[in-house]
Amino acid sequence: MIVAIIVVAVKLLILFAVLMLFVAYGTLAERKVSGHIQDRLGPYHCGPHGLLQPLADGLKLFFKEDIVAAESDKILYYLAPMIAIVPAILAIGVIPFGESITLFGRKIDLVVTDINVALLYLLAVSSFSVYAIVFGGWSSNSKYPLLGGLRSAAQFISYELILGLSIMGVIMVVGSFSLVDIVHYQKSMWMVVYQPLAFIIYMIAATAELNRLPFDLPEAESELVGGYHTEYSSMKFAMFFLGEYANMTVTSAVAVCLFLGGWYSPVSFLSWIPGPIWFVVKLVAVFFFLLWLRWTYPRFRYDQLMVFSWKYLLPLALVNILATGGVMILFGGI
Amino acid sequence: MKTVAEHTERRTYTLNMGPQHPSTHGVLRVILELEGETIVDARPVVGYLHRGTEKLAESKTYQQVSPLIDRLDYLACPAYNFAYCLAVEKLLGVEVPPRAKYIRVILAELARIASHLIWLGSHAMDIGAVTVFLYTFREREITYELLEMAAGVRMHQSYFVVGGVRWDLPEGFIPKLREFLDILPSKIQEYENLLTKNKIWRMRTEGLGVLSREDAIALGATGPMLRGSGVEWDIRKAYPYSGYGEFEFDIPTGRNGDVYDRYLVRMEEMRQSRRIILQALEKLPDGPIHAMEGKLYFPDPDWVRGEHRDIAALIHQFKLVVEGFHPPKGEVYQSIEAPKGELGFYIVCDGSPKPYRLRIRLPSLMNLQTLPLLSRGHKVADLVAIIGTLDIVLGDVDK
């Protein structure tokens, strides 16, 4: 019993550390990738090739003056940045990143906990992050954050729905909510082959969920100054910032598990490479895709975003579910 | 069925946008009356960058005004000096030698390209396409290097002086300019690849901020704002100055008068400017770069204090510095096609070396008048696209 607890604790610690590493270097990757896309170098002065930039950023934000907006709703104002990062940390618990390994005679699953409703749990905790934005926007007692908060409430509700529907197809094919089962199912063939439409819808909805361009309306800099975090400074701002990259990491990880074969190697002759490495490679690829998208596209307008969601994505997601169901009935499963 | 607004008391709120805001291109302040995110009314408040250029000019000699004029539209300085010098020359009745005319055209068109590049970058960035901004700045840098080669400074060149240009183009300028013109079409194509057919870009710009032909004329919109609405009006063609009549170029016009059309117009204008510069380079004559009559030009330093020093040259220099030149009594108006629209200088001269009154017709200020009309009924997000399409520079709005 005690050993089991220690094992879980160690796994949690490692995962948390890895997540934070991803978050820190995600911010650097963002700046480096954007730099190279835009014909410049990105950060270059802190350490070799700017590798220590995340540390410098963190230190800088830590020592910044912590300004509290006047007449703000103090409880919600302090709560919002905390909520921002929590969902991502909660979500890493159910993400499998490798096959079980045997260590000192014990079989250890490379997932903190394999619960049978992992996907439902994921959707539940990820919806939680909207509260950070809504609270932050509301409690700041300022009009730009308020507009950002309102936008995001509408955006999250619309795209959460589509995110859930896009995952439905995968659940129908596999017949399980467990991420471990879903990855096992993809041992020979990736889910993206069976569910290409669901993958595309998932990626679009996930980008919208993450407030990334072309869907970054809640924090649209050119319109709403900083959006919901306009009135936040110092570490409170840093929490929003970290939350964004933590959510990106988790969303990429979920995409890898659901559609890109999890920890399995794409070709059999490379299967000697350990699962976790494959997992990280795929994760980085999806992460890079998100960055790439951001630095290529202009931004949607608020109403266009809604139209896009309800008029195009929602019917498409439903069609995908119907088509999956039809094929399953006709051919008795995929 | 009644709408929600009819059920409830109609309620709007005021949002103060600017003067400190990332998308108002400086210190423009817009007071927005909003209903949700829909703009009921937008009232631009100008004057945060007012420097009293017109009044200041009254206390300076004609040459000393030139650096003030530079600072109106700090993104297209040569065009502004150009208009001012043309106005003073008209007052003096001085004919500028052909080489100086051509050099002026080359630099003014280069300034147009630079100005449009900045417009494109910031306009795209306001709509969210950040990468275009950095791409355009890459090319803009070359235009500034070229201007620096010619004038010695990157901005506020004051390279054009009354009667001609300050000095001749340096060696290496023309090859470098040709090099830039060679790569320019492919770079413009690169921006167009990112935007012109981009679905999101078109969704954000098509049908937005429609300015009808009649409204454009009634509100005094000029430049790409007017041409985007389908009016083929370009002062370079209508009242050719400085030898523009000798060049072949087209006036691009739009059809719908929306943000997208104005985008296309400005993109094409950059190509047309390139065409003009190429023709000017082809025809660039040799000869003096400054009008000899009227004693407008500072004498060679060699004549003043060098080997060939001459008391007449010294007196001439002294008079020019201390007193300035005396244009005849009269009034003139001279306008040019600046990158942002019609730029005009109206000078009243009482025969003294300082302008009695200098009135500037600024394109950005006039174009800004269309903002309330263009933005009414649109969303807050559209407002930044509309401010972008106006292509205003606050120095050019507030004088």
Side-chain angles (χ1 to χ4, degrees):
Chain A
M1 181 64 197
I2 291 171
V3 179
I5 290 172
I6 292 172
V7 167
V8 168
V10 168
K11 279 196 285 196
L12 264 178
L13 266 179
I14 292 171
L15 264 185
F16 184 71
V18 169
L19 179 70
M20 285 298 124
L21 195 77
F22 257 96
V23 169
Y25 281 88
T27 62
L28 180 67
E30 174 98 280
R31 298 170 68 174
K32 277 295 197 190
V33 168
S34 74
H36 285 282
I37 285 177
Q38 295 166 351
D39 246 3
R40 53 193 179 88
L41 289 170
Y44 217 87
H45 285 290
C46 297
H49 285 260
L51 278 176
L52 297 178
Q53 187 67 36
L55 268 179
D57 283 346
L59 269 178
K60 185 197 83 173
L61 282 168
F62 195 76
F63 285 114
K64 283 278 172 186
E65 187 189 353
D66 190 12
I67 301 162
V68 179
E71 300 286 318
S72 57
D73 186 329
K74 290 286 178 317
I75 297 173
L76 293 182
Y77 185 78
Y78 281 91
L79 199 61
M82 295 181 205
I83 298 176
I85 198 162
V86 167
I89 296 171
L90 286 177
I92 54 169
V94 293
I95 292 169
F97 52 94
E99 198 78 69
S100 307
I101 53 167
T102 311
L103 215 62
F104 309 117
R106 283 183 70 90
K107 184 168 163 291
I108 298 173
D109 298 325
L110 288 187
V111 53
V112 177
T113 169
D114 175 20
I115 52 178
N116 55 5
V117 289
L119 265 180
L120 287 182
Y121 170 79
L122 263 180
L123 286 178
V125 293
S126 72
S127 330
F128 205 49
S129 59
V130 67
Y131 287 105
I133 294 174
V134 173
F135 286 173
W138 171 255
S139 66
S140 301
N141 187 34
S142 173
K143 281 168 190 163
Y144 288 114
L146 180 64
L147 280 174
L150 290 176
R151 282 180 178 191
S152 71
Q155 182 177 329
F156 265 67
I157 290 165
S158 317
Y159 279 88
E160 191 72 31
L161 185 73
I162 287 152
L163 196 73
L165 286 177
S166 71
I167 293 174
M168 277 306 290
V170 178
I171 297 166
M172 284 162 77
V173 172
V174 180
S176 167
F177 277 111
S178 159
L179 276 170
V180 177
D181 288 350
I182 291 170
V183 176
H184 278 148
Y185 188 87
Q186 303 176 67
K187 186 161 187 176
S188 53
M189 185 62 86
W190 289 5
M191 187 59 77
V192 66
V193 179
Y194 302 127
Q195 294 279 333
L197 191 59
F199 178 63
I200 294 166
I201 296 171
Y202 175 84
M203 284 314 289
I204 294 173
T207 317
E209 281 272 298
L210 293 166
N211 291 330
R212 304 273 307 171
L213 258 166
F215 306 102
D216 68 335
L217 307 173
E219 47 184 312
E221 174 196 85
S222 55
E223 300 149 24
L224 301 181
V225 191
Y228 59 89
H229 58 58
T230 306
E231 302 289 345
Y232 282 93
S233 61
S234 186
M235 275 318 273
K236 289 214 267 308
F237 168 74
M239 294 297 258
F240 279 115
F241 202 61
L242 295 182
E244 183 184 335
Y245 286 89
N247 279 325
M248 269 171 76
T249 312
V250 169
T251 309
S252 310
V254 174
V256 170
C257 289
L258 287 179
F259 296 101
L260 301 179
W263 62 79
Y264 287 118
S265 132
V267 276
S268 55
F269 67 88
L270 285 177
S271 55
W272 52 270
I273 297 175
I277 292 180
W278 274 119
F279 187 80
V280 169
V281 167
K282 290 173 185 175
L283 178 66
V284 168
V286 178
F287 200 92
F288 174 77
F289 176 76
L290 289 172
L291 301 183
W292 190 12
L293 208 60
R294 172 166 177 186
W295 300 110
T296 308
Y297 279 109
R299 180 184 298 123
F300 272 103
R301 202 173 61 204
Y302 171 64
D303 53 326
Q304 291 167 344
L305 180 87
M306 287 313 201
V307 167
F308 186 59
S309 154
W310 293 96
K311 276 196 181 165
Y312 300 102
L313 286 183
L314 185 70
L316 267 182
L318 289 173
V319 163
N320 183 57
I321 292 173
L322 283 178
T324 310
V327 169
M328 286 178 75
I329 291 169
L330 282 176
F331 301 103
I334 292 176
Chain B
M1 211 175 87
K2 279 166 135 187
T3 62
V4 179
E6 283 160 349
H7 271 294
T8 55
E9 202 183 323
R10 194 184 180 84
R11 284 170 67 186
T12 59
Y13 64 100
T14 309
L15 181 70
N16 179 41
M17 195 164 167
Q20 301 294 333
H21 188 282
S23 302
T24 53
H25 294 222
V27 286
L28 173 67
R29 178 177 172 210
V30 187
I31 300 174
L32 294 172
E33 202 62 33
L34 295 177
E35 191 185 327
E37 281 213 28
T38 309
I39 299 165
V40 179
D41 197 13
R43 295 194 301 276
V45 181
V46 300
Y48 286 90
L49 202 64
H50 182 65
R51 292 153 297 176
T53 308
E54 287 179 353
K55 189 69 191 165
L56 265 174
E58 290 170 17
S59 63
K60 296 199 181 301
T61 61
Y62 283 98
Q63 307 105 307
Q64 287 172 335
V65 173
S66 204
L68 292 178
I69 302 303
D70 264 349
R71 282 151 179 83
L72 291 170
D73 179 355
Y74 36 80
L75 301 178
C77 311
Y80 280 63
N81 282 144
F82 196 4
Y84 173 73
C85 292
L86 283 174
V88 179
E89 282 153 14
K90 201 173 182 180
L91 188 66
L92 288 161
V94 168
E95 183 65 21
V96 176
R99 185 174 172 83
K101 277 186 180 175
Y102 277 70
I103 292 175
R104 284 177 171 189
V105 167
I106 291 170
L107 289 191
E109 293 304 319
L110 197 61
R112 188 185 313 278
I113 294 173
S115 171
H116 280 7
L117 283 175
I118 295 178
W119 155 78
L120 176 65
S122 49
H123 186 37
M125 188 161 73
D126 288 346
I127 300 182
V130 187
T131 300
V132 179
F133 178 74
L134 284 130
Y135 283 180
T136 59
F137 265 60
R138 186 182 58 196
E139 273 72 65
R140 174 205 180 234
E141 189 57 32
I142 307 176
T143 65
Y144 274 67
E145 277 167 15
L146 282 164
L147 291 174
E148 187 184 0
M149 278 177 91
V153 281
R154 285 166 59 84
M155 297 182 92
H156 312 309
Q157 293 93 355
S158 288
Y159 176 62
F160 300 167
V161 291
V162 177
V165 292
R166 203 170 284 279
W167 44 67
D168 210 340
L169 290 175
E171 217 174 301
F173 177 86
I174 289 170
K176 196 175 158 76
L177 179 60
R178 280 193 186 277
E179 214 174 285
F180 172 64
L181 296 177
D182 284 343
I183 61 158
L184 188 66
S186 67
K187 298 297 179 185
I188 296 176
Q189 191 55 46
E190 193 178 347
Y191 317 140
E192 291 225 51
N193 287 346
L194 278 168
L195 299 175
T196 305
K197 285 186 180 152
N198 186 318
K199 187 81 186 149
I200 303 176
W201 178 259
R202 297 188 73 150
M203 279 167 76
R204 286 300 303 276
T205 55
E206 275 179 332
L208 171 69
V210 178
L211 185 63
S212 70
R213 219 185 137 89
E214 292 72 34
D215 284 337
I217 295 168
L219 286 166
T222 47
M225 288 295 291
L226 183 65
R227 292 193 282 274
S229 302
V231 185
E232 203 177 312
W233 176 259
D234 190 316
I235 296 167
R236 289 175 295 179
K237 285 258 196 223
Y239 299 103
Y241 52 90
S242 194
Y244 268 110
E246 296 158 32
F247 303 117
E248 258 179 51
F249 61 98
D250 303 327
I251 308 175
T253 51
R255 250 178 306 156
N256 310 319
D258 57 7
V259 175
Y260 186 68
D261 273 10
R262 290 191 280 270
Y263 156 77
L264 291 178
V265 164
R266 288 197 177 98
M267 295 305 269
E268 186 54 34
E269 275 184 14
M270 282 198 266
R271 296 200 178 92
Q272 295 301 331
S273 288
R274 174 181 176 270
R275 232 175 114 189
I276 295 171
I277 299 178
L278 281 175
Q279 291 174 48
L281 283 177
E282 211 56 56
K283 295 182 188 167
L284 188 65
D286 284 329
I289 47 142
H290 202 282
M292 282 301 130
E293 75 260 44
K295 288 197 169 182
L296 305 168
Y297 199 52
F298 285 101
D300 194 306
D302 188 43
W303 296 353
V304 180
R305 53 184 176 273
E307 284 272 298
H308 305 91
R309 64 173 167 262
D310 173 36
I311 189 69
L314 183 65
I315 292 171
H316 169 45
Q317 160 122 349
F318 181 77
K319 290 264 283 183
L320 211 49
V321 170
V322 172
E323 201 180 70
F325 48 79
H326 294 257
K329 228 173 182 180
E331 297 177 16
V332 288
Y333 177 73
Q334 171 69 43
S335 65
I336 67 158
E337 187 69 30
K340 293 173 174 69
E342 178 182 344
L343 167 72
F345 283 89
Y346 183 77
I347 303 175
V348 180
C349 179
D350 58 356
S352 74
K354 292 169 184 172
Y356 177 76
R357 174 81 171 96
L358 177 70
R359 164 81 187 148
I360 314 168
R361 188 231 185 257
L362 293 168
S364 294
L365 179 65
M366 299 298 176
N367 290 345
L368 185 62
Q369 290 189 103
T370 59
L371 180 72
L373 178 76
L374 295 189
S375 55
R376 231 166 264 150
H378 290 298
K379 300 269 184 284
V380 178
D382 292 330
L383 184 73
V384 297
I386 291 168
I387 294 176
T389 194
L390 293 175
D391 189 18
I392 50 165
V393 160
L394 267 295
D396 193 31
V397 169
D398 294 341
K399 299 185 190 178

